[in-house]
Amino acid sequence: MTTGLWTLLATVVIGGLVRLPLALVMFAGGAAYLFATRQDIGLLVGQVMNQMTAMYVLVAIPMFILAANIMNAASISDRLWAAANALVGRFRGGMGHVTVVVSMIFSSMSGSAVTDAAGPGLVATRQMQRIGGYPPGLACAITAAAATIAPIIPPSIPLVIYALISGASIGALFLAGLVPGFLMGAALMLAIRAVAGRRALPVGEVVPIRAMPAVFGRAALSLTLPVVLLGGIWTGVFTPTEAAAVAAFWALILGAAVYRRIGIQTLGSVFGESARQSASTMLLIASAFILNYAIANEGLAARLALAITDLQLGPMQFMALVNLLFLVLGCFLDGSVMMLVFVPLILPSAKALGIDLTYFGIVVTLNFMIGLITPPYGLLLFVMASLARVPLGQIIREIWPFVLALGGVLAVLTVFPSITLFLPRLFGYE
Amino acid sequence: AAAPAAAETEIRISTAAPDQSPLSDAFRAIKARMEAKFPGELKISVHTASALFRQGTELPAMQRGNLEMASPVTFEIEAQLPEYGVFSAAYLFRDADHLIKTFRSDIGAEFTKDVADKMGIVILDTAYLGTRTVNLRNDKPIKEPGDLAGVKMRMPPGPAFQTLAKALGATAVSMPITEVYLGLKTGSIDAQDNPTNMTRDWKFHEVTKQVILTRHLVQPVFIAMAKPAFDKLSPAQQTELRAAAREAADQEIAKTLADEKAAIDTFTQAGIKVVDPNVPAFRAAVMDEYRKAGMTDKWKPGLLDRVTAIR
Amino acid sequence: MTPAGTTGRGIAPSFRRVAGFLSAAGIAVVFALFVFGVAMRYLFDRPVGFVDEAVTLISVWSTFWTAAFVLKWPEHIAFDVVYAHVAPPAQRALLLAGATGFVILMGAAMPGMIDYTLFLWRERTDVMLLRLDWVYAVFPAFFAIILLRFVIVLRRLVGADWRAEVAHWSGADLDGDDDATAPKTPEGGA
Ligand code: NA
Ligand code: NA
C-alpha cells in the first residue's frame, strides 16, 4: 500500500476510535489522503458533490424513510403487524420470520438494500421489539440481514449496473436472482429459528381463531399498499425510485382520510423526524464517495486483478478466491466501489475461464450484499443504528449468525451454478 | 543502472465509456504506444466507466489540474463555449465520414484553437461516439415526425435533448439510464434514443420491438488533454502523442461503425423490426424547431452552412 | 435537566427550531415534487423535466443542512467501542484529541475547498442550469458549521462544565428535550 492509503486508513481508524461521527471521519480520511498525495483538496468537494447530485436513485432513501414513518403514524404498521402476529405470533421467534417475508415482498418493489432497511425494515424492527420481545440489537441485525435480499430479487440497481459492465442480459440476471433470493430468505429463517430457540425469546400473544376475522379486517385496507406499489411498478405507472414517494403518499391518504390518525401537527413532526433520520444515513453515503476516488486513483484494483490472473486457477478455485476476496474487501469497502472498480478488472479472467456471466453476476452481487452487514464498514448496520437509535456494537454482536447463513447460501450458489441458471435457461436464455 | 534524469510524468485518462468499448480500447492503445516509445518517462493509467471522474465532471477536473486526459463530448464544450452549440445539433452531420472530415478541416482547426485558448483544453483528435436513433417498445408504425406524437421518449437530461425530443415529435421524459430497461419493460416510457450498439450493450433490445433508424444525432467524441499537462511534455512526446491519438481515433471510428452494424444484425436476428423512416422529413422538422426555439441565433454565424458544405 | 443555554449542546434552541422547520420542509417538498411528477406524466401525459434534478438537489441540500444544524452529536453514527467503556476523564481526553485533530485537519482543508467551489462558476446543472458554485457551496458551508460546532465543543471540554459535554456525546440526554419533536407513534416511540 502507498503512503496515501496508509494515511487514509490511519485517519479513519483513529478518528473512529475517539468517537468522532463516522461520516466526518471518512471525510477527514479523504482530506488526509489528498494532503498526503499532494492533490487538490477541492477534490473532496468535487467527488462528493458530483456523485451526490448525480445519484437520483439515492432520493428513494429519504422517501422510504418518510413512508415508514407515515405508516407508523397512520397505524398502518400496527394493523399489518397485528395480522402477522395473529398468524405466526404464537411461535417462538415468529416476528423475525415475518420480517424476512415482508422484506422479500418489498424486494420485488425496491432495487436497493438501504431503501428496504429504511422503509419496511424500520417498521419491522420496532415490531420485533414490541411484539416479539426481541432485544434491540437482534431486531436490527435481522432487519439488516433481510434487507440484503432486495437487490437479489428483481428489480435491482446493482444487477443493472453489472449487466452493463459485463454484457450479461438484464432479463437473465433478473430471472436468475429469484431462486437465490428465496434461498436467502429460507437461510435467514433457519438462522432466526436457531437464535430464537437458543435465546428462548418470548412467545407472542396467542390470537384465538374467532378473533382473527376482525384482526384481518382491520388490516385489509393497509394490505392495499403493497398491491398498489407492485401494480404501479409492473404496469409502468411509476418507476421503482418514484415508488418510494408513492408509498408515502398512499400511506398518507389512508392515515389522514381513512384512519384519521394524521393531522397537520403529526405530519409536521413526521417530516422533521424523517429528515433527521435520512440525513445521518445520506451523510455516510456521501462520505463513501471520497473513498471510492482514493481506491480508483491508487489503481489498487488493477494490481489485485493482475495478481489473480498470475495464479492460473481453475474455474472453481477462481470462484472460491473471488468470494474470499470480496468477503474480505466487503468488510472495509462500499459495494459500489467493488462493483465499479474491481469487477471490470476481474471479468476478463472469469470470461477466459468460461464462467457463465449471469451466474458470476449473482455470486458477486451476493458478496456485496453480505459486505453491507459485515463490520467494521457495513452500510446496513449503520443505517439500522441510526434509524432505530441502537448502539452499533449491539447490532454487530448479533449479526454473525445471519452473516453465516448468507455465507452458506453463497457457498451453495457458487458450487451449484444450475441453481442460479435454472430459471433463465427455462425462459430461453442460454 | 543510473536513475532516470527526469521523474516519470503521470498521465491519468478518465472516460465514461464502458471498459469493453472501442473508446476505452483507443485510450489503452495510446497508453501502450506512448509507454513503449518513452519507457520510464511516462506513466499512463486508463480509468474507464467513470470510475475516477463521472461523465460531465472531467472538463473542470482537467481545467483544475486534477486530471490529464479525458473524452469530452460536444455538450460539455458547449456549456462553456455556447457558440459551438451547433455541433450538438441533430441532423448537422450526415454520417461519421462527414463528421470526421469536418473536424479534420479548417473548421476543426478553428474550433481546436478556440478550445485551447478559451478553455485551456488541447483536443488531440476527434473520434466517433455513434449515431443516435429512436427505439420503441411497441409496434406503432413510425415513418414521419407526426407519427411519434404522444410517444413518451426517454432522453438524457438537458434542455438540448428536450428540444430535440419535441423536434422529433415525441414527448420527452427524463429518467436515469439505470431505470430505462424496467421503464421500457413496464411501459412507463415508450421509447429511448441511443446509438444501436449502446441499445444492445444496455440490453434495451430485450425490451424493444422496433428500431427506427432516424439517425438524428451523429456524435463526435474528443480525445482531449489539459493544456498545462500537454505543455509539460517534450516536443518529441507531443508529436508522438498526436500521432498516437490519430491512430487510436481511426481504429475507434472503424470499430464503432462495425459495432453499430453488428448491433443491427443482432436486432434482426432477435426478430426486432428495423425501420428506415422518412429521414428528410425528420431533418426538416428538427431544423424548423431549432429556429423556432431561437437556438440557431446562439450558434457561431455561418458555421451551420460551412459544415453542411463539406462533402 | 441541563443548565440553561446548553440545551441541545451546540446551537441555540430557537435557531434549532427554525433550522428543524427548514429541514422538515425540504423533505416535504421532495415528497410533493415526486407525486407531482408521477401525476403529470401518468395522469396528464405531460412529463415535467425538472423534477428529477430538483428532488436530487433538494435532498442533497437538505442532508447537509440537517446534518449541520439539526442533528445532535450522538445522532450521528459512530463507533463507541472505546468511548462507551471508559470513565468520563478518559472520555474527555478522547473527545479533546478527536475534536482538536478534526479542527486542525479540516481547518487546513477549508481554503482549498472554498477555492474549488468558487472555481465552478463556469459549470451549470444539466436541467435547471443552476450555477454549480452555488449548488456545491452547501458542502464547504456544512464543514464551516461543523468546525464551528467543534470549536464550541472544545471550549466546553476545557471549561468547568466538561462532564455535561462528555455525557451528551454518549447520548445520555438525547431522549430528554428531544421527545417534543419526535412523532407520537402508536407504540409511544418504542
Ligand atoms: Na429488488
Ligand atoms: Na462490510
Side-chain angles (χ1 to χ4, degrees), chain A residues 19 22 41 50 72 78 237 242 276 389, chain C residues 23 41 75 77 79 112 136 169 178 186:
Chain A
R19 210 234 166 273
L22 205 53
I41 195 73
N50 287 343
N72 276 348
D78 268 12
V237 179
E242 291 168 334
R276 291 190 341 208
R389 296 238 177 101
Chain C
S23 125
R41 189 184 61 238
E75 284 181 293
I77 302 158
F79 285 115
Y136 283 20
W169 277 75
D178 229 45

mmCIF file with all atom_site columns, all heavy atoms in Angstrom, chain A residues 19 22 41 50 72 78 237 242 276 389, chain C residues 23 41 75 77 79 112 136 169 178 186:
data_model
loop_
_atom_site.group_PDB
_atom_site.id
_atom_site.type_symbol
_atom_site.label_atom_id
_atom_site.label_alt_id
_atom_site.label_comp_id
_atom_site.label_asym_id
_atom_site.label_entity_id
_atom_site.label_seq_id
_atom_site.pdbx_PDB_ins_code
_atom_site.Cartn_x
_atom_site.Cartn_y
_atom_site.Cartn_z
_atom_site.occupancy
_atom_site.B_iso_or_equiv
_atom_site.pdbx_formal_charge
_atom_site.auth_seq_id
_atom_site.auth_comp_id
_atom_site.auth_asym_id
_atom_site.auth_atom_id
_atom_site.pdbx_PDB_model_num
ATOM 1   N N   . ARG A 1 19  ? -14.302 8.304  18.794  1.00 0.00 ? 19  ARG A N   1
ATOM 2   C CA  . ARG A 1 19  ? -15.749 8.507  18.779  1.00 0.00 ? 19  ARG A CA  1
ATOM 3   C C   . ARG A 1 19  ? -16.208 9.717  17.966  1.00 0.00 ? 19  ARG A C   1
ATOM 4   O O   . ARG A 1 19  ? -17.274 10.273 18.180  1.00 0.00 ? 19  ARG A O   1
ATOM 5   C CB  . ARG A 1 19  ? -16.296 8.642  20.223  1.00 0.00 ? 19  ARG A CB  1
ATOM 6   C CG  . ARG A 1 19  ? -17.733 8.141  20.402  1.00 0.00 ? 19  ARG A CG  1
ATOM 7   C CD  . ARG A 1 19  ? -18.626 9.192  21.031  1.00 0.00 ? 19  ARG A CD  1
ATOM 8   N NE  . ARG A 1 19  ? -20.037 8.869  20.906  1.00 0.00 ? 19  ARG A NE  1
ATOM 9   C CZ  . ARG A 1 19  ? -20.758 9.204  19.839  1.00 0.00 ? 19  ARG A CZ  1
ATOM 10  N NH1 . ARG A 1 19  ? -20.208 9.824  18.823  1.00 0.00 ? 19  ARG A NH1 1
ATOM 11  N NH2 . ARG A 1 19  ? -22.027 8.881  19.780  1.00 0.00 ? 19  ARG A NH2 1
ATOM 12  N N   . LEU A 1 22  ? -18.805 8.898  12.249  1.00 0.00 ? 22  LEU A N   1
ATOM 13  C CA  . LEU A 1 22  ? -18.153 8.106  11.216  1.00 0.00 ? 22  LEU A CA  1
ATOM 14  C C   . LEU A 1 22  ? -18.070 8.841  9.873   1.00 0.00 ? 22  LEU A C   1
ATOM 15  O O   . LEU A 1 22  ? -17.040 8.792  9.187   1.00 0.00 ? 22  LEU A O   1
ATOM 16  C CB  . LEU A 1 22  ? -18.931 6.804  11.051  1.00 0.00 ? 22  LEU A CB  1
ATOM 17  C CG  . LEU A 1 22  ? -18.161 5.628  10.508  1.00 0.00 ? 22  LEU A CG  1
ATOM 18  C CD1 . LEU A 1 22  ? -16.906 5.377  11.306  1.00 0.00 ? 22  LEU A CD1 1
ATOM 19  C CD2 . LEU A 1 22  ? -19.057 4.397  10.531  1.00 0.00 ? 22  LEU A CD2 1
ATOM 20  N N   . ILE A 1 41  ? -7.128  19.686 -2.753  1.00 0.00 ? 41  ILE A N   1
ATOM 21  C CA  . ILE A 1 41  ? -8.028  19.368 -1.646  1.00 0.00 ? 41  ILE A CA  1
ATOM 22  C C   . ILE A 1 41  ? -9.492  19.609 -2.059  1.00 0.00 ? 41  ILE A C   1
ATOM 23  O O   . ILE A 1 41  ? -10.434 19.048 -1.498  1.00 0.00 ? 41  ILE A O   1
ATOM 24  C CB  . ILE A 1 41  ? -7.646  20.198 -0.395  1.00 0.00 ? 41  ILE A CB  1
ATOM 25  C CG1 . ILE A 1 41  ? -8.323  19.630 0.849   1.00 0.00 ? 41  ILE A CG1 1
ATOM 26  C CG2 . ILE A 1 41  ? -7.971  21.653 -0.556  1.00 0.00 ? 41  ILE A CG2 1
ATOM 27  C CD1 . ILE A 1 41  ? -7.735  18.342 1.309   1.00 0.00 ? 41  ILE A CD1 1
ATOM 28  N N   . ASN A 1 50  ? -20.277 15.834 -6.937  1.00 0.00 ? 50  ASN A N   1
ATOM 29  C CA  . ASN A 1 50  ? -20.561 15.296 -8.267  1.00 0.00 ? 50  ASN A CA  1
ATOM 30  C C   . ASN A 1 50  ? -21.390 14.026 -8.169  1.00 0.00 ? 50  ASN A C   1
ATOM 31  O O   . ASN A 1 50  ? -22.332 13.816 -8.927  1.00 0.00 ? 50  ASN A O   1
ATOM 32  C CB  . ASN A 1 50  ? -19.258 14.965 -9.015  1.00 0.00 ? 50  ASN A CB  1
ATOM 33  C CG  . ASN A 1 50  ? -18.537 16.210 -9.478  1.00 0.00 ? 50  ASN A CG  1
ATOM 34  O OD1 . ASN A 1 50  ? -19.125 17.279 -9.538  1.00 0.00 ? 50  ASN A OD1 1
ATOM 35  N ND2 . ASN A 1 50  ? -17.261 16.068 -9.792  1.00 0.00 ? 50  ASN A ND2 1
ATOM 36  N N   . ASN A 1 72  ? -46.185 4.340  10.308  1.00 0.00 ? 72  ASN A N   1
ATOM 37  C CA  . ASN A 1 72  ? -46.259 4.228  11.768  1.00 0.00 ? 72  ASN A CA  1
ATOM 38  C C   . ASN A 1 72  ? -47.323 5.148  12.323  1.00 0.00 ? 72  ASN A C   1
ATOM 39  O O   . ASN A 1 72  ? -48.184 4.734  13.105  1.00 0.00 ? 72  ASN A O   1
ATOM 40  C CB  . ASN A 1 72  ? -44.917 4.621  12.396  1.00 0.00 ? 72  ASN A CB  1
ATOM 41  C CG  . ASN A 1 72  ? -43.965 3.459  12.411  1.00 0.00 ? 72  ASN A CG  1
ATOM 42  O OD1 . ASN A 1 72  ? -44.370 2.330  12.159  1.00 0.00 ? 72  ASN A OD1 1
ATOM 43  N ND2 . ASN A 1 72  ? -42.705 3.736  12.688  1.00 0.00 ? 72  ASN A ND2 1
ATOM 44  N N   . ASP A 1 78  ? -49.127 -0.967 12.641  1.00 0.00 ? 78  ASP A N   1
ATOM 45  C CA  . ASP A 1 78  ? -49.784 -1.701 13.716  1.00 0.00 ? 78  ASP A CA  1
ATOM 46  C C   . ASP A 1 78  ? -50.775 -2.720 13.184  1.00 0.00 ? 78  ASP A C   1
ATOM 47  O O   . ASP A 1 78  ? -50.812 -3.861 13.622  1.00 0.00 ? 78  ASP A O   1
ATOM 48  C CB  . ASP A 1 78  ? -50.537 -0.712 14.616  1.00 0.00 ? 78  ASP A CB  1
ATOM 49  C CG  . ASP A 1 78  ? -49.673 -0.251 15.755  1.00 0.00 ? 78  ASP A CG  1
ATOM 50  O OD1 . ASP A 1 78  ? -48.451 -0.530 15.691  1.00 0.00 ? 78  ASP A OD1 1
ATOM 51  O OD2 . ASP A 1 78  ? -50.191 0.380  16.682  1.00 0.00 ? 78  ASP A OD2 1
ATOM 52  N N   . VAL A 1 237 ? -46.763 2.662  -14.239 1.00 0.00 ? 237 VAL A N   1
ATOM 53  C CA  . VAL A 1 237 ? -47.276 3.961  -13.795 1.00 0.00 ? 237 VAL A CA  1
ATOM 54  C C   . VAL A 1 237 ? -46.144 4.782  -13.182 1.00 0.00 ? 237 VAL A C   1
ATOM 55  O O   . VAL A 1 237 ? -46.037 5.980  -13.391 1.00 0.00 ? 237 VAL A O   1
ATOM 56  C CB  . VAL A 1 237 ? -48.425 3.782  -12.785 1.00 0.00 ? 237 VAL A CB  1
ATOM 57  C CG1 . VAL A 1 237 ? -48.944 5.141  -12.316 1.00 0.00 ? 237 VAL A CG1 1
ATOM 58  C CG2 . VAL A 1 237 ? -49.550 2.975  -13.399 1.00 0.00 ? 237 VAL A CG2 1
ATOM 59  N N   . GLU A 1 242 ? -39.557 6.249  -7.884  1.00 0.00 ? 242 GLU A N   1
ATOM 60  C CA  . GLU A 1 242 ? -40.761 7.014  -7.557  1.00 0.00 ? 242 GLU A CA  1
ATOM 61  C C   . GLU A 1 242 ? -41.674 6.245  -6.615  1.00 0.00 ? 242 GLU A C   1
ATOM 62  O O   . GLU A 1 242 ? -42.437 6.840  -5.847  1.00 0.00 ? 242 GLU A O   1
ATOM 63  C CB  . GLU A 1 242 ? -41.530 7.359  -8.840  1.00 0.00 ? 242 GLU A CB  1
ATOM 64  C CG  . GLU A 1 242 ? -40.807 8.358  -9.728  1.00 0.00 ? 242 GLU A CG  1
ATOM 65  C CD  . GLU A 1 242 ? -41.420 8.467  -11.121 1.00 0.00 ? 242 GLU A CD  1
ATOM 66  O OE1 . GLU A 1 242 ? -42.054 7.495  -11.585 1.00 0.00 ? 242 GLU A OE1 1
ATOM 67  O OE2 . GLU A 1 242 ? -41.240 9.516  -11.749 1.00 0.00 ? 242 GLU A OE2 1
ATOM 68  N N   . ARG A 1 276 ? -34.310 14.061 9.762   1.00 0.00 ? 276 ARG A N   1
ATOM 69  C CA  . ARG A 1 276 ? -33.140 13.791 10.616  1.00 0.00 ? 276 ARG A CA  1
ATOM 70  C C   . ARG A 1 276 ? -32.605 12.390 10.405  1.00 0.00 ? 276 ARG A C   1
ATOM 71  O O   . ARG A 1 276 ? -31.403 12.167 10.329  1.00 0.00 ? 276 ARG A O   1
ATOM 72  C CB  . ARG A 1 276 ? -33.507 14.009 12.078  1.00 0.00 ? 276 ARG A CB  1
ATOM 73  C CG  . ARG A 1 276 ? -33.752 15.461 12.353  1.00 0.00 ? 276 ARG A CG  1
ATOM 74  C CD  . ARG A 1 276 ? -33.900 15.829 13.784  1.00 0.00 ? 276 ARG A CD  1
ATOM 75  N NE  . ARG A 1 276 ? -34.214 14.728 14.671  1.00 0.00 ? 276 ARG A NE  1
ATOM 76  C CZ  . ARG A 1 276 ? -34.894 14.892 15.799  1.00 0.00 ? 276 ARG A CZ  1
ATOM 77  N NH1 . ARG A 1 276 ? -35.322 16.076 16.126  1.00 0.00 ? 276 ARG A NH1 1
ATOM 78  N NH2 . ARG A 1 276 ? -35.114 13.869 16.572  1.00 0.00 ? 276 ARG A NH2 1
ATOM 79  N N   . ARG A 1 389 ? -31.897 3.989  16.442  1.00 0.00 ? 389 ARG A N   1
ATOM 80  C CA  . ARG A 1 389 ? -31.187 4.526  17.611  1.00 0.00 ? 389 ARG A CA  1
ATOM 81  C C   . ARG A 1 389 ? -30.719 3.403  18.537  1.00 0.00 ? 389 ARG A C   1
ATOM 82  O O   . ARG A 1 389 ? -30.976 3.416  19.735  1.00 0.00 ? 389 ARG A O   1
ATOM 83  C CB  . ARG A 1 389 ? -32.091 5.486  18.375  1.00 0.00 ? 389 ARG A CB  1
ATOM 84  C CG  . ARG A 1 389 ? -32.460 6.697  17.563  1.00 0.00 ? 389 ARG A CG  1
ATOM 85  C CD  . ARG A 1 389 ? -32.014 7.963  18.273  1.00 0.00 ? 389 ARG A CD  1
ATOM 86  N NE  . ARG A 1 389 ? -32.306 9.133  17.457  1.00 0.00 ? 389 ARG A NE  1
ATOM 87  C CZ  . ARG A 1 389 ? -33.349 9.926  17.678  1.00 0.00 ? 389 ARG A CZ  1
ATOM 88  N NH1 . ARG A 1 389 ? -34.150 9.697  18.681  1.00 0.00 ? 389 ARG A NH1 1
ATOM 89  N NH2 . ARG A 1 389 ? -33.540 10.954 16.918  1.00 0.00 ? 389 ARG A NH2 1
ATOM 90  N N   . SER C 2 23  ? -35.559 21.904 7.580   1.00 0.00 ? 23  SER C N   1
ATOM 91  C CA  . SER C 2 23  ? -35.163 20.549 7.217   1.00 0.00 ? 23  SER C CA  1
ATOM 92  C C   . SER C 2 23  ? -36.395 19.689 6.945   1.00 0.00 ? 23  SER C C   1
ATOM 93  O O   . SER C 2 23  ? -36.424 18.902 5.989   1.00 0.00 ? 23  SER C O   1
ATOM 94  C CB  . SER C 2 23  ? -34.239 19.998 8.312   1.00 0.00 ? 23  SER C CB  1
ATOM 95  O OG  . SER C 2 23  ? -34.688 18.799 8.821   1.00 0.00 ? 23  SER C OG  1
ATOM 96  N N   . ARG C 2 41  ? -46.925 12.990 -15.476 1.00 0.00 ? 41  ARG C N   1
ATOM 97  C CA  . ARG C 2 41  ? -46.571 12.074 -16.553 1.00 0.00 ? 41  ARG C CA  1
ATOM 98  C C   . ARG C 2 41  ? -47.686 11.079 -16.821 1.00 0.00 ? 41  ARG C C   1
ATOM 99  O O   . ARG C 2 41  ? -48.069 10.842 -17.964 1.00 0.00 ? 41  ARG C O   1
ATOM 100 C CB  . ARG C 2 41  ? -45.275 11.327 -16.242 1.00 0.00 ? 41  ARG C CB  1
ATOM 101 C CG  . ARG C 2 41  ? -44.765 10.539 -17.447 1.00 0.00 ? 41  ARG C CG  1
ATOM 102 C CD  . ARG C 2 41  ? -43.538 9.701  -17.150 1.00 0.00 ? 41  ARG C CD  1
ATOM 103 N NE  . ARG C 2 41  ? -43.825 8.711  -16.133 1.00 0.00 ? 41  ARG C NE  1
ATOM 104 C CZ  . ARG C 2 41  ? -43.184 8.625  -14.996 1.00 0.00 ? 41  ARG C CZ  1
ATOM 105 N NH1 . ARG C 2 41  ? -42.196 9.438  -14.732 1.00 0.00 ? 41  ARG C NH1 1
ATOM 106 N NH2 . ARG C 2 41  ? -43.518 7.719  -14.110 1.00 0.00 ? 41  ARG C NH2 1
ATOM 107 N N   . GLU C 2 75  ? -26.559 11.822 17.515  1.00 0.00 ? 75  GLU C N   1
ATOM 108 C CA  . GLU C 2 75  ? -27.431 11.331 16.442  1.00 0.00 ? 75  GLU C CA  1
ATOM 109 C C   . GLU C 2 75  ? -26.630 10.922 15.206  1.00 0.00 ? 75  GLU C C   1
ATOM 110 O O   . GLU C 2 75  ? -27.151 10.259 14.326  1.00 0.00 ? 75  GLU C O   1
ATOM 111 C CB  . GLU C 2 75  ? -28.466 12.401 16.062  1.00 0.00 ? 75  GLU C CB  1
ATOM 112 C CG  . GLU C 2 75  ? -29.581 12.526 17.071  1.00 0.00 ? 75  GLU C CG  1
ATOM 113 C CD  . GLU C 2 75  ? -30.595 13.579 16.657  1.00 0.00 ? 75  GLU C CD  1
ATOM 114 O OE1 . GLU C 2 75  ? -30.257 14.774 16.620  1.00 0.00 ? 75  GLU C OE1 1
ATOM 115 O OE2 . GLU C 2 75  ? -31.738 13.201 16.383  1.00 0.00 ? 75  GLU C OE2 1
ATOM 116 N N   . ILE C 2 77  ? -23.933 8.621  13.308  1.00 0.00 ? 77  ILE C N   1
ATOM 117 C CA  . ILE C 2 77  ? -23.499 7.247  13.538  1.00 0.00 ? 77  ILE C CA  1
ATOM 118 C C   . ILE C 2 77  ? -22.017 7.251  13.891  1.00 0.00 ? 77  ILE C C   1
ATOM 119 O O   . ILE C 2 77  ? -21.215 7.912  13.237  1.00 0.00 ? 77  ILE C O   1
ATOM 120 C CB  . ILE C 2 77  ? -23.750 6.402  12.281  1.00 0.00 ? 77  ILE C CB  1
ATOM 121 C CG1 . ILE C 2 77  ? -25.236 6.454  11.929  1.00 0.00 ? 77  ILE C CG1 1
ATOM 122 C CG2 . ILE C 2 77  ? -23.297 4.966  12.493  1.00 0.00 ? 77  ILE C CG2 1
ATOM 123 C CD1 . ILE C 2 77  ? -25.541 6.130  10.504  1.00 0.00 ? 77  ILE C CD1 1
ATOM 124 N N   . PHE C 2 79  ? -18.678 4.777  16.065  1.00 0.00 ? 79  PHE C N   1
ATOM 125 C CA  . PHE C 2 79  ? -18.255 3.598  16.839  1.00 0.00 ? 79  PHE C CA  1
ATOM 126 C C   . PHE C 2 79  ? -18.038 4.033  18.280  1.00 0.00 ? 79  PHE C C   1
ATOM 127 O O   . PHE C 2 79  ? -17.228 4.927  18.533  1.00 0.00 ? 79  PHE C O   1
ATOM 128 C CB  . PHE C 2 79  ? -16.928 3.048  16.304  1.00 0.00 ? 79  PHE C CB  1
ATOM 129 C CG  . PHE C 2 79  ? -17.080 2.308  15.022  1.00 0.00 ? 79  PHE C CG  1
ATOM 130 C CD1 . PHE C 2 79  ? -16.508 2.784  13.858  1.00 0.00 ? 79  PHE C CD1 1
ATOM 131 C CD2 . PHE C 2 79  ? -17.788 1.121  14.963  1.00 0.00 ? 79  PHE C CD2 1
ATOM 132 C CE1 . PHE C 2 79  ? -16.642 2.098  12.666  1.00 0.00 ? 79  PHE C CE1 1
ATOM 133 C CE2 . PHE C 2 79  ? -17.926 0.428  13.783  1.00 0.00 ? 79  PHE C CE2 1
ATOM 134 C CZ  . PHE C 2 79  ? -17.357 0.918  12.624  1.00 0.00 ? 79  PHE C CZ  1
ATOM 135 N N   . GLY C 2 112 ? -8.817  25.308 0.424   1.00 0.00 ? 112 GLY C N   1
ATOM 136 C CA  . GLY C 2 112 ? -8.844  24.554 -0.828  1.00 0.00 ? 112 GLY C CA  1
ATOM 137 C C   . GLY C 2 112 ? -10.261 24.214 -1.253  1.00 0.00 ? 112 GLY C C   1
ATOM 138 O O   . GLY C 2 112 ? -10.602 24.241 -2.440  1.00 0.00 ? 112 GLY C O   1
ATOM 139 N N   . TYR C 2 136 ? -22.941 23.711 -5.096  1.00 0.00 ? 136 TYR C N   1
ATOM 140 C CA  . TYR C 2 136 ? -21.952 22.971 -4.315  1.00 0.00 ? 136 TYR C CA  1
ATOM 141 C C   . TYR C 2 136 ? -21.551 23.705 -3.033  1.00 0.00 ? 136 TYR C C   1
ATOM 142 O O   . TYR C 2 136 ? -20.912 23.134 -2.159  1.00 0.00 ? 136 TYR C O   1
ATOM 143 C CB  . TYR C 2 136 ? -20.696 22.700 -5.161  1.00 0.00 ? 136 TYR C CB  1
ATOM 144 C CG  . TYR C 2 136 ? -20.839 21.584 -6.161  1.00 0.00 ? 136 TYR C CG  1
ATOM 145 C CD1 . TYR C 2 136 ? -22.103 21.157 -6.588  1.00 0.00 ? 136 TYR C CD1 1
ATOM 146 C CD2 . TYR C 2 136 ? -19.724 20.944 -6.697  1.00 0.00 ? 136 TYR C CD2 1
ATOM 147 C CE1 . TYR C 2 136 ? -22.240 20.140 -7.521  1.00 0.00 ? 136 TYR C CE1 1
ATOM 148 C CE2 . TYR C 2 136 ? -19.858 19.918 -7.622  1.00 0.00 ? 136 TYR C CE2 1
ATOM 149 C CZ  . TYR C 2 136 ? -21.113 19.525 -8.031  1.00 0.00 ? 136 TYR C CZ  1
ATOM 150 O OH  . TYR C 2 136 ? -21.242 18.518 -8.953  1.00 0.00 ? 136 TYR C OH  1
ATOM 151 N N   . TRP C 2 169 ? -22.267 13.458 24.583  1.00 0.00 ? 169 TRP C N   1
ATOM 152 C CA  . TRP C 2 169 ? -21.729 12.664 23.471  1.00 0.00 ? 169 TRP C CA  1
ATOM 153 C C   . TRP C 2 169 ? -22.061 11.190 23.600  1.00 0.00 ? 169 TRP C C   1
ATOM 154 O O   . TRP C 2 169 ? -22.071 10.463 22.615  1.00 0.00 ? 169 TRP C O   1
ATOM 155 C CB  . TRP C 2 169 ? -20.207 12.851 23.350  1.00 0.00 ? 169 TRP C CB  1
ATOM 156 C CG  . TRP C 2 169 ? -19.871 14.086 22.599  1.00 0.00 ? 169 TRP C CG  1
ATOM 157 C CD1 . TRP C 2 169 ? -19.959 15.365 23.061  1.00 0.00 ? 169 TRP C CD1 1
ATOM 158 C CD2 . TRP C 2 169 ? -19.434 14.182 21.248  1.00 0.00 ? 169 TRP C CD2 1
ATOM 159 N NE1 . TRP C 2 169 ? -19.605 16.248 22.086  1.00 0.00 ? 169 TRP C NE1 1
ATOM 160 C CE2 . TRP C 2 169 ? -19.265 15.543 20.951  1.00 0.00 ? 169 TRP C CE2 1
ATOM 161 C CE3 . TRP C 2 169 ? -19.150 13.251 20.249  1.00 0.00 ? 169 TRP C CE3 1
ATOM 162 C CZ2 . TRP C 2 169 ? -18.844 16.006 19.717  1.00 0.00 ? 169 TRP C CZ2 1
ATOM 163 C CZ3 . TRP C 2 169 ? -18.721 13.705 19.006  1.00 0.00 ? 169 TRP C CZ3 1
ATOM 164 C CH2 . TRP C 2 169 ? -18.576 15.065 18.751  1.00 0.00 ? 169 TRP C CH2 1
ATOM 165 N N   . ASP C 2 178 ? -35.635 16.171 23.465  1.00 0.00 ? 178 ASP C N   1
ATOM 166 C CA  . ASP C 2 178 ? -35.834 15.840 22.069  1.00 0.00 ? 178 ASP C CA  1
ATOM 167 C C   . ASP C 2 178 ? -37.187 15.220 21.782  1.00 0.00 ? 178 ASP C C   1
ATOM 168 O O   . ASP C 2 178 ? -37.684 15.304 20.676  1.00 0.00 ? 178 ASP C O   1
ATOM 169 C CB  . ASP C 2 178 ? -34.748 14.861 21.624  1.00 0.00 ? 178 ASP C CB  1
ATOM 170 C CG  . ASP C 2 178 ? -34.128 15.330 20.334  1.00 0.00 ? 178 ASP C CG  1
ATOM 171 O OD1 . ASP C 2 178 ? -33.842 16.534 20.264  1.00 0.00 ? 178 ASP C OD1 1
ATOM 172 O OD2 . ASP C 2 178 ? -33.971 14.510 19.436  1.00 0.00 ? 178 ASP C OD2 1
ATOM 173 N N   . PRO C 2 186 ? -47.846 5.102  17.459  1.00 0.00 ? 186 PRO C N   1
ATOM 174 C CA  . PRO C 2 186 ? -48.772 4.331  18.281  1.00 0.00 ? 186 PRO C CA  1
ATOM 175 C C   . PRO C 2 186 ? -48.083 3.579  19.407  1.00 0.00 ? 186 PRO C C   1
ATOM 176 O O   . PRO C 2 186 ? -48.632 3.422  20.485  1.00 0.00 ? 186 PRO C O   1
ATOM 177 C CB  . PRO C 2 186 ? -49.393 3.354  17.282  1.00 0.00 ? 186 PRO C CB  1
ATOM 178 C CG  . PRO C 2 186 ? -49.288 4.038  15.971  1.00 0.00 ? 186 PRO C CG  1
ATOM 179 C CD  . PRO C 2 186 ? -48.032 4.850  16.040  1.00 0.00 ? 186 PRO C CD  1
#
